[in-house]
Amino acid sequence: MKYKAVLYDMDGTVLNSRNEASERARKALKAAQDAGVKLVVATGRTLKIVPALVHELGFDYAAVSNGASIYDLRTGERVY
């Protein structure tokens, strides 16, 4: 089965308590990207307080405010 997108929880999953991503997490994200999978971060935070590292890691979309909105992180456009 080929996945089109993978959603990741941000706090405690991709990011540790210092808002850092482990090398293991970085490798897993890169492998998914290389396979053509869209990366989506899911968080209870608002878009304004999503750490810059999420953008640097190459996430395509963010489901923020507990899923109330979804943004295209490449354009900043609200898609839902």
Side-chain angles (χ1 to χ4, degrees), residues 3-4 10 15 21 26-27 31 37 39 46-49 58 60 64-65 68 71-72 77 79:
Y3 294 97
K4 293 182 182 182
M10 191 170 61
L15 304 179
R26 289 174 184 270
K27 286 180 181 179
V37 175
L39 302 180
T46 63
L47 184 63
K48 289 182 181 181
I49 60 173
D60 299 289
V64 297
S65 302
Y71 287 88
D72 183 327
E77 178 186 0
V79 295

Side-chain angles (χ1 to χ4, degrees), residues 8-54:
Y8 293 91
D9 176 57
M10 191 170 61
D11 299 313
T13 303
V14 173
L15 304 179
N16 63 23
S17 61
R18 295 178 301 216
N19 282 333
E20 300 168 336
S22 69
E23 189 61 31
R24 182 178 179 191
R26 289 174 184 270
K27 286 180 181 179
L29 294 170
K30 178 74 171 121
Q33 288 171 319
D34 290 348
V37 175
K38 298 289 183 193
L39 302 180
V40 183
V41 66
T43 182
R45 300 180 189 201
T46 63
L47 184 63
K48 289 182 181 181
I49 60 173
V50 169
L53 180 59
V54 168

Side-chain angles (χ1 to χ4, degrees), residues 62-80:
V64 297
S65 302
N66 292 320
S69 297
I70 300 174
Y71 287 88
D72 183 327
L73 293 177
R74 297 159 299 177
T75 65
E77 178 186 0
R78 183 177 165 185
V79 295
Y80 175 82

